[in-house]
Amino acid sequence: MKKTTTEETERQEKFLTDSGIEIQRTYEKRDIAEEKPGEYPFTRGVQPTMYRGKLWTMRQYAGFSTAEESNKRYHYLLNNGTTGLSVAFDLPTQIGYDSDHAFAEGEVGKSGVAIDSLRDIEILFDGISLENVTTSMTINSTSAILLSMYVALAKKQGADLKKISGTIQNDILKEYAARGTYIYPPKPSMRIITDIFAYCSTDVPKWNTISISGYHIREAGSTAVQELAFTLANGKAYLKAAIEKGLDIDVFARRLSFFFNAHNNFFEEIAKFRAARRMWATIVKELGAKDSRSMMLRFHTQTGGSTLTAQQPQNNIVRVTLQAMAAVMGGTQSLHTNGFDEALALPTEEAARIALRTQQIIGYESGAADTVDPMAGSWMVESLTDEIEAKAWEYIRRIDAMGGSVAAIEQGYMQDEIAASSYAYQRAIERNEKIIVGVNKFNVEEKPMDNLFTVDDSIRAMQMEKIRQVKAERDQAQVTQALQAIDAAARSEENLMPRILTAVEAYATLGEIADVLRNVYGEYKGN
């Protein structure tokens, strides 16, 4: 009988991570930096005790249809143990159009909640004390307007603005690179962002003024290494813009947070998160920070939407669990887990509950949260952390040589790199070099899923009527004056935020405010 060799029983000759890093058969003992959690450069975590002291914030991304319907879902999630809200906005809201605009037709309430004026925000958070909940808002081009609406509601509730906390995504650079919901050209967009930084540093000091997002870069098809490199390069650009604005890096940098994706390559994802902390600490220190607290990278994680499959959707529960566990073992500060049916429609309440329970089981039953950085000292994970970091620095050096992220985006560099990676990944699936269970292997005959969540097109008519009522009841002279003040501020060096807040409180609509800025700055058409 022929003897079977080890080589002959292997599935394949070479194993690679999704970033193309070769996985060795075994890893040997190696020198490991003796770092303590909660200390520079924070490879092992930003807090000495991590989840032993407090679990990560368990968020569920929600927002659909009208503010009334989304408010019901928020109360449902809060009653089921969610500890922070995460708001999704529909496409017209994201790109600065009211629901009655011709460009909004067919999109109102579809990808998130429709917000046209302060009236919608009042309804969205009805019965929810803004002092007692942290809110993350996934909004970029119109972030100054949505934040102003949130602040206006907090004031109406009698909240102490020094106490309200949450995050606006406010990351316009990744919109140009990967997602596309931009309005204005890069330079005025960066001006609006730094105005938000300056305003919040004095008026809303606990608010995280930007969530620098690798999530959408990864969703567009990047590798884990590209996600890390492009995200930190963008973060570096925001830091430099704030410094040029005259802000103190040791004050401002503490209000930055990051937003990463978690995909299925378990150990690569853990290593990516560990490398991110170490790299960011280095970047902030090199830009002049003296306080180690300024160098902490705090991040939110969402499980990978692009990894969800319409085929055998229940398999997505397993995928989400793996991704969530990687985020926890990588030291995330907050986490959103996707619903298993999101490749087909907005998540049903059942899917949202299972997604939340996944986090709770990891937090309370798995033991993964009982020690700090449980993968520290793993020769494999430590090696991957170093390799991912080295490859990410190569990208950042190239971007720096181009003049930074804005220049790299204007030259199409990031876009081209992401597109090439996305193409290569899809080709690997088509060639069966990359196995996706239920898609190109282990297929079964399936019946269509029942009870999918859908949004009725009649939502637009409801929103249009609400806009009509708001305009009929407000003081139009006050609105006109407030919009003119925004125009004047946009043409000068004056901070835009107080002017936008005044307009919001007068019930100017989101579209009206965005149009004033469109008139001053123009619209960006891309490459």
Side-chain angles (χ1 to χ4, degrees):
M1 179 182 289
K2 182 182 176 182
K3 185 177 180 182
T4 302
T5 65
T6 302
E7 285 74 19
E8 288 172 335
T9 60
E10 286 186 346
R11 288 180 285 137
Q12 57 198 55
E13 291 183 3
K14 185 183 288 188
F15 292 83
L16 304 174
T17 71
D18 290 342
S19 295
I21 297 171
E22 184 173 355
I23 300 298
Q24 305 302 316
R25 185 180 301 176
T26 61
Y27 287 82
E28 303 302 325
K29 186 174 181 179
R30 58 194 297 281
D31 291 332
I32 297 168
E34 294 200 11
E35 298 174 5
K36 294 182 180 179
E39 295 183 7
Y40 179 91
F42 307 106
T43 311
R44 302 194 60 197
V46 294
Q47 299 297 335
T49 59
M50 288 300 289
Y51 308 132
R52 289 169 67 90
K54 180 185 178 184
L55 290 179
W56 62 92
T57 300
M58 298 181 186
R59 297 189 186 278
Q60 287 307 107
Y61 193 44
F64 58 90
S65 184
T66 61
E68 291 87 347
E69 290 300 314
S70 292
N71 177 261
K72 292 176 185 176
R73 178 65 66 90
Y74 292 159
H75 281 285
Y76 171 82
L77 291 170
L78 290 169
N79 290 336
N80 274 275
T82 289
T83 53
L85 298 177
S86 190
V87 186
F89 298 95
D90 73 357
L91 189 57
T93 302
Q94 292 180 50
I95 55 178
Y97 293 116
D98 290 334
S99 296
D100 58 1
H101 194 285
F103 289 172
E105 186 173 359
E107 293 292 343
V108 176
K110 293 292 178 70
S111 61
V113 62
I115 299 295
D116 294 308
S117 73
L118 178 58
R119 181 70 48 81
D120 288 316
I121 289 289
E122 291 166 352
I123 297 166
L124 184 66
F125 293 102
D126 184 43
I128 299 171
S129 170
L130 301 191
E131 265 195 34
N132 298 318
V133 67
T134 66
T135 303
S136 175
M137 295 190 283
T138 305
I139 197 70
N140 297 283
S141 294
T142 54
S143 56
I145 305 170
L146 270 300
L147 176 59
S148 294
M149 289 181 180
Y150 195 87
V151 169
L153 176 58
K155 289 171 66 176
K156 291 189 77 168
Q157 287 186 355
D160 182 350
L161 297 187
K162 306 290 185 185
K163 294 180 180 178
I164 67 167
S165 62
T167 304
I168 45 171
Q169 191 165 101
N170 199 26
D171 176 9
I172 201 64
L173 291 179
K174 68 92 176 54
E175 294 295 325
Y176 301 118
R179 191 160 174 264
T181 61
Y182 46 73
I183 303 174
Y184 319 111
K187 288 181 181 177
S189 291
M190 290 292 281
R191 177 260 169 97
I192 295 170
I193 287 170
T194 54
D195 278 359
I196 294 170
F197 292 164
Y199 169 78
C200 288
S201 67
T202 56
D203 289 65
V204 198
K206 290 185 70 176
W207 195 267
N208 296 314
T209 50
I210 192 168
S211 177
I212 305 160
S213 176
Y215 183 85
H216 300 98
I217 291 170
R218 192 68 176 281
E219 289 295 284
S222 80
T223 65
V225 166
Q226 289 170 337
E227 176 194 0
L228 174 59
F230 297 164
T231 305
L232 295 189
N234 288 347
K236 188 175 181 179
Y238 291 125
L239 277 179
K240 287 185 172 181
I243 292 168
E244 290 171 6
K245 188 89 170 179
L247 299 178
D248 182 346
I249 189 171
D250 276 316
V251 174
F252 158 73
R254 295 186 205 176
R255 297 268 56 90
L256 296 181
S257 66
F258 287 79
F259 176 22
F260 288 115
N261 211 314
H263 275 216
N264 294 327
N265 200 304
F266 186 69
F267 294 109
E268 181 175 51
E269 294 301 306
I270 295 170
K272 178 188 73 180
F273 298 132
R274 299 175 86 249
R277 281 191 292 271
R278 192 156 71 202
M279 293 177 70
W280 183 245
T282 301
I283 288 169
V284 178
K285 188 173 185 178
E286 288 179 350
L287 286 175
K290 301 291 190 290
D291 190 332
S292 65
R293 290 173 296 177
S294 310
M295 305 170 200
M296 294 179 182
L297 182 144
R298 296 166 298 112
F299 67 99
H300 169 72
T301 307
Q302 182 174 340
T303 56
S306 62
T307 69
L308 303 179
T309 63
Q311 301 91 332
Q312 301 178 37
Q314 289 83 359
N315 292 346
N316 294 328
I317 297 173
V318 181
R319 293 186 177 101
V320 167
T321 303
L322 275 172
Q323 295 162 11
M325 182 68 87
V328 169
M329 298 187 86
T332 193
Q333 276 61 68
S334 73
L335 178 61
H336 161 66
T337 35
N338 291 326
F340 70 87
D341 54 1
E342 287 190 60
L344 297 163
L346 291 168
T348 58
E349 284 195 353
E350 178 192 20
R353 184 175 65 251
I354 291 171
L356 176 59
R357 295 291 182 253
T358 300
Q359 293 199 51
Q360 292 166 335
I361 290 168
I362 291 172
Y364 293 100
E365 296 186 28
S366 74
D370 295 350
T371 189
V372 179
D373 192 16
M375 298 306 295
S378 158
W379 299 335
M380 176 189 185
V381 170
E382 296 288 359
S383 180
L384 273 177
T385 301
D386 292 344
E387 289 189 68
I388 288 171
E389 179 181 8
K391 288 181 178 294
W393 280 127
E394 289 177 14
Y395 272 113
I396 290 175
R397 282 192 287 271
R398 284 188 216 123
I399 292 167
D400 285 345
M402 294 177 192
S405 281
V406 174
I409 288 166
E410 288 176 339
Q411 293 173 38
Y413 173 71
M414 290 188 191
Q415 298 93 311
D416 290 345
E417 288 291 311
I418 294 167
S421 294
S422 179
Y423 177 77
Y425 186 84
Q426 185 59 36
R427 289 289 287 157
I429 293 172
E430 291 171 0
R431 291 170 173 167
N432 287 336
E433 295 165 359
K434 177 75 176 176
I435 301 302
I436 307 296
V437 175
V439 175
N440 59 357
K441 198 168 185 178
F442 312 113
N443 310 73
V444 296
E445 290 291 327
E446 296 181 87
K447 294 180 179 179
M449 277 191 67
D450 296 325
N451 303 317
L452 292 176
F453 189 90
T454 58
V455 175
D456 197 297
D457 282 328
S458 65
I459 297 303
R460 186 177 185 229
M462 296 169 61
Q463 286 298 116
M464 289 171 69
E465 174 58 22
K466 206 183 297 182
I467 293 171
R468 189 197 64 76
Q469 290 180 357
V470 165
K471 290 183 175 180
E473 295 170 3
R474 69 189 186 181
D475 184 332
Q476 187 56 46
Q478 189 179 10
V479 171
T480 300
Q481 184 178 7
L483 294 176
Q484 289 172 345
I486 292 173
D487 183 283
R491 297 177 190 277
S492 70
E493 299 296 317
E494 182 184 356
N495 192 304
L496 283 163
M497 281 298 293
R499 297 300 188 183
I500 294 174
L501 179 59
T502 298
V504 160
E505 290 177 322
Y507 290 89
T509 69
L510 175 136
E512 288 172 329
I513 296 169
D515 281 346
V516 170
L517 298 176
R518 276 191 183 92
N519 186 54
V520 176
Y521 299 136
E523 292 189 74
Y524 186 64
K525 302 303 181 184
N527 293 319

